[in-house]
Every structure is written in C-alpha cells, then in structure tokens.
Amino acid sequence: MSYPGYPPSGYPSFPGYPPTGQEYPPANQYSYPAVPGGFPPLGGSEYNVAPPTGEFPGFAGYPSAPGGYPPTSSGYPGLPQPGGMPTYPGGAGFGVPPSGSGFGCPQPQTQTYGGGGPVQMPAGYPGGRTPSTPLQPAALTQSTQGTIQPAPNFDAGRDAEILRKAMKGFGTDEQAIIDVVSNRSNEQRQQIKSTFKTMYGKDLIKDLKSELSGNMEELILALFMPRTYYDAWSLRHAMKGAGTQENVLIEILCTRTNREIQEIVQCYKSEFGRDIEHDVRADTSGHFERLLVSMCQGNRDENPTVDYQKAQQDAQRLYQAGEGKLGTDESCFNMILASRSFPQLKATVEAYSQIANRDLLSTIGREFSGNVERGLKTILQCALNRPAFFAERLYHAMKGAGTDDSTLVRIIVTRSEIDLVQIKQLFTQMYHKTLATMISSDTGGDYRSLLLAIVGQ
C-alpha cells in the first residue's frame, strides 16, 4: 500500500497549500550549478562539498516484528500486541476528585493546527520576491472536523436519568447507553458523570463497569475519560510493568500539539505522581529516547509562516547528515524534526526531494531502524497529512487475523472531536473501502454498534 500521492506529487495537502499556480520550490528561485551525481550544494555554503559516489551502507528495508510489521511499502509505525487493558488507575471514579467539582487535569481546547490572521512572507524569501499568489491563512492551517459535536439543548440530568434506567433492574439497555454517549461531547459526558452522582449518590463509572465487559467496557470507559487524562493514562499504561508499548508513545507524543503535550505532562504528574520524562528515559534508550524527550518538552515551533529559504537549508543539512555521508548524524535529524513547525517540515520534505532525488521518508528508512525510525516517520507523516497517518494506524489495527482493539479504541475516541471526518475520507481514498465497512467486519455486538455510532454510520 502506498501512502496517497507520496512522494509529494499529488499528495493530499493542507487546504490551499501550496497556493494555486505556485510551484515548490517557486519557479526560478533556486539556481543550482550542475554537479555530477545530481547533488546540488548551496553555493558558497558550508555544505559545498564533493558529491558522494556510489551507495553508502544503509538499512535496506525494515526490521521484522511479530504481526507482520512493517506493512508492505508503508514504513509506518507498527502496532502494540493485541490485548485488553488492565483496570483503570484511580479506581472506578477516575477523573473526578473527591469533591466532585471536576477533573484535576486541564481539559484541552478545540484543537487547531496552524494559526489565524494574515500570514506574512519572511523577509529572507529567496530572490527577494513575493509569490504572485500570496499565502492565505487557510493555506497553512490543518482543517479539522470531528464526527462528534456537542449536543444541542443538552440536559445532563435527563441523560443521567436515561443511563440510570438503562442499568437498573435485570439486564442492561445497551442501546440507550450507546445513544447517549455517542451523541455527546467529552465535556458533556463529564457533566453527566458529575450530575449522575449528585442525583443518585452513585458513581456512574462504577455502575458502567459492573454492567459491561470486554471491548465494550473499554470503549465506554475511554469515552468517559477526560481527553487529557486519557492520553496521560495511555502513556502510563504503555510504560507500566514489564515491557513497553513504544508505538503508543510514538502515536501520542509525536502527534499532539504543544499545548496538548504540556497538559499531558502536567496531568501525568498530578494524577500518577510521576514525571513523564523520567519514565520515558527509564523505558527507552538511545536516539529513540532523545526523540521522545524532545517531544515531551511541547516546544515545537508553531508559527504558521513557511520560510522557504530555511526549508532549503534544512533539506541540505538533512542530506549531509544522511545520504551525503558515510554513517548518520542522528542529532541533526532530531533537531530539525523535533523543532520545526509542521508546515515548515512539509516544505522541507518537498525541498529535500529536489536535492536528493529521493523522498525524505525513504531516506529515514535507509538511515534509521526500529523505534526511532518509526518516530521520525510519524512526525513527517503528520506534517504531510495528519489524518492520513491515523487512517493507516486504524487500517493496520484491523488488517489480517485478529484486531488490535486498544489501538482501534484509542484512535476512534481521541480523534472523534478533532479530525475523524478527514480520517474517514482518507481511509476510503487509501484502502478503497470505508472505515465503517472494516469496523463492521472486524468487530461485533454492542461494541461494533457504538464504534459505528461514533464514526457516524
């Protein structure tokens, strides 16, 4: 399976980016001397070195792992081993302090990528010219849309009563529970949880756990976790006990915004009394450890303005750190991929393909292996098209024998109010089948019904 349109030609992009009629790099902006071997160094720069001759040793392909990873031609992060989650930390009433006044972790605001307001061209734009088509804010903003929106005319007391009746007496009315939780935002679910305790003197989560089991229980409890807490809990679970689910660390730490990362770090400390950076260092090592520690800072540049000259320079530096030398300067890749904004990285990917005659994802596959390779690729994939990254994660959670239900639940729940509409669209484009069709064939019962209700089927 090939990622749609990658390398960059025809790749689903940020809406309006690059601007209509504008090539990247802009026409006649970069003039390279002809150099044998196709390597165009920056004239007079520190990278003006002789081109390489022949092939350098590299990782031709990817390490094999249980479950058939990596998928053919994709090179995307692998999957944690299937298996149920342990008991949720904090007991039945997770997320609600004794006073019942609310959740101790910060609740993230509506997620957006990029920024609003006029976008100014950097002063150092190559050639000192402005493109004929000015960049608009939409050109550098990742459009988002969730399948779950806040319910209008919301009444927490009415919903609490519906859930109470659904669990009272003999048997459980699972459909009534599905109808409520799949049509309320996370913030509204927190209000229902608090109101339920006020009205009945009982803990809603404890009641739900007593009535449900298996994947349905896991999905319902995930939906009632505040978003920041769920990310923090998933990270703690991935590092707790024997073994580490590295792909969970990659999926969360390499895809969230600065604000989300900072709130996760704070929540991890307040809820579990632990420092996430310390736990990451204890459970990982080498260049992978350094990449995740960089991600834990939540300090990526989020300026939406693209500096094309810097993109060209970064592409040149990455070439010299990998394909252009014997061995790999891993710190250069870490520095650029951990600090540059996603729109800036997208421009760097496109500039790199002009310099190296090879796409940057392919280079990372040749120069790195294992978890650090997956982490670096995840960052680039999010820069190119974040919903497509999650679409592929969902596909490989259900592909083949067995289903990785924890990954399926985590992505469906965490993206349901952010960009699940776009994920569905990309899923169909990439795999020629709908997400709902694949969910229907891989799951069953009330669990399937609730998943389909969340994805909007």
Side-chain angles (χ1 to χ4, degrees):
M1 198 288 300
S2 61
Y3 204 63
Y6 192 84
S9 174
Y11 193 91
S13 62
F14 290 89
Y17 178 76
T20 303
Q22 178 181 330
E23 299 177 314
Y24 188 85
N28 302 319
Q29 295 296 303
Y30 302 108
S31 178
Y32 297 111
V35 178
F39 171 54
L42 289 176
S45 78
E46 59 181 315
Y47 306 112
N48 192 9
V49 297
T53 57
E55 285 290 321
F56 292 116
F59 293 97
Y62 303 88
S64 59
Y69 176 80
T72 303
S73 302
S74 73
Y76 276 79
L79 304 171
Q81 293 300 312
M85 291 186 178
T87 303
Y88 285 77
F94 62 83
V96 180
S99 65
S101 60
F103 183 62
C105 294
Q107 185 75 353
Q109 301 297 315
T110 301
Q111 183 180 29
T112 58
Y113 306 105
V119 176
Q120 302 296 326
M121 291 305 301
Y125 189 83
R129 295 178 303 204
T130 301
S132 57
T133 305
L135 294 177
Q136 298 300 317
L140 298 174
T141 303
Q142 178 74 54
S143 62
T144 59
Q145 184 181 353
T147 55
I148 293 182
Q149 305 292 332
N153 304 316
F154 171 66
D155 185 336
R158 180 181 59 199
D159 286 346
E161 185 175 0
I162 292 172
L163 293 177
R164 173 63 176 154
K165 289 180 179 178
M167 295 182 287
K168 187 177 181 180
F170 181 76
T172 305
D173 186 352
E174 286 86 356
Q175 189 58 51
I177 297 174
I178 291 171
D179 290 341
V180 170
V181 299
S182 65
N183 291 289
R184 304 295 184 269
S185 67
N186 189 281
E187 183 179 351
Q188 290 174 335
R189 293 186 212 111
Q190 305 314 311
Q191 295 180 46
I192 294 171
K193 187 166 58 176
S194 177
T195 301
F196 189 94
K197 181 173 286 188
T198 299
M199 292 174 63
Y200 302 110
K202 294 171 64 69
D203 190 286
L204 175 59
I205 303 306
K206 184 177 180 180
D207 280 7
L208 288 169
K209 285 173 66 68
S210 68
E211 297 290 331
L212 305 171
S213 62
N215 293 324
M216 180 64 169
E217 175 188 351
E218 179 178 338
L219 177 55
I220 286 284
L221 295 183
L223 286 166
F224 273 99
M225 284 188 181
R227 283 163 48 189
T228 300
Y229 181 92
Y230 186 35
D231 275 347
W233 180 88
S234 297
L235 291 170
R236 178 66 188 129
H237 172 247
M239 294 183 282
K240 186 178 181 180
T244 303
Q245 296 179 1
E246 291 87 355
N247 291 292
V248 177
L249 306 184
I250 292 170
E251 179 194 304
I252 295 175
L253 293 176
C254 294
T255 66
R256 302 308 194 243
T257 65
N258 285 348
R259 179 170 180 173
E260 288 170 335
I261 292 291
Q262 292 160 8
E263 290 172 345
I264 289 168
V265 170
Q266 178 184 340
C267 182
Y268 195 94
K269 180 71 172 179
S270 64
E271 292 297 310
F272 309 122
R274 303 179 66 90
D275 181 78
I276 193 169
E277 184 177 326
H278 178 273
D279 284 356
V280 165
R281 290 184 182 277
D283 274 55
T284 60
S285 61
H287 297 294
F288 181 53
E289 172 194 334
R290 297 173 196 174
L291 179 64
L292 292 187
V293 169
S294 293
M295 296 298 98
C296 286
Q297 308 314 302
N299 199 32
R300 180 183 298 280
D301 179 18
E302 291 186 338
N303 186 340
T305 300
V306 173
D307 184 335
Y308 292 105
Q309 190 171 38
K310 179 185 285 187
Q312 185 69 29
Q313 292 168 350
D314 282 349
Q316 191 76 49
R317 295 173 73 179
L318 291 170
Y319 183 89
Q320 287 297 320
E323 297 280 357
K325 65 176 292 184
L326 184 62
T328 306
D329 180 359
E330 294 88 356
S331 63
C332 179
F333 281 83
N334 192 103
M335 182 275 291
I336 292 174
L337 270 65
S339 61
R340 304 294 190 254
S341 71
F342 285 130
Q344 184 70 32
L345 284 176
K346 185 177 189 297
T348 301
V349 168
E350 294 166 344
Y352 186 90
S353 66
Q354 300 291 325
I355 291 174
N357 293 322
R358 182 191 300 277
D359 65 79
L360 187 51
L361 282 172
S362 175
T363 290
I364 289 175
R366 289 162 57 86
E367 300 291 328
F368 296 87
S369 63
N371 293 315
V372 66
E373 174 196 341
R374 296 174 192 132
L376 292 171
K377 284 185 172 182
T378 296
I379 293 170
L380 286 185
Q381 289 154 4
C382 286
L384 292 165
N385 193 315
R386 191 185 314 250
F389 164 75
F390 286 110
E392 178 140 2
R393 286 282 286 157
L394 287 171
Y395 176 77
H396 289 289
M398 295 181 282
K399 179 185 178 183
T403 302
D404 183 356
D405 291 290
S406 290
T407 293
L408 178 60
V409 167
R410 187 175 56 254
I411 294 177
I412 293 294
V413 170
T414 59
R415 311 312 294 184
S416 62
E417 296 181 49
I418 299 173
D419 54 3
L420 191 51
V421 169
Q422 284 76 21
I423 291 170
K424 287 167 53 181
Q425 294 169 347
L426 266 296
F427 192 98
T428 302
Q429 178 181 338
M430 294 163 69
Y431 303 108
H432 309 291
K433 64 175 70 175
T434 66
L435 176 58
T437 297
M438 202 158 182
I439 288 174
S440 295
S441 64
D442 267 59
T443 61
D446 297 315
Y447 174 53
R448 174 173 60 191
S449 298
L450 180 52
L451 285 171
L452 293 176
I454 296 170
V455 303
Q457 295 298 131

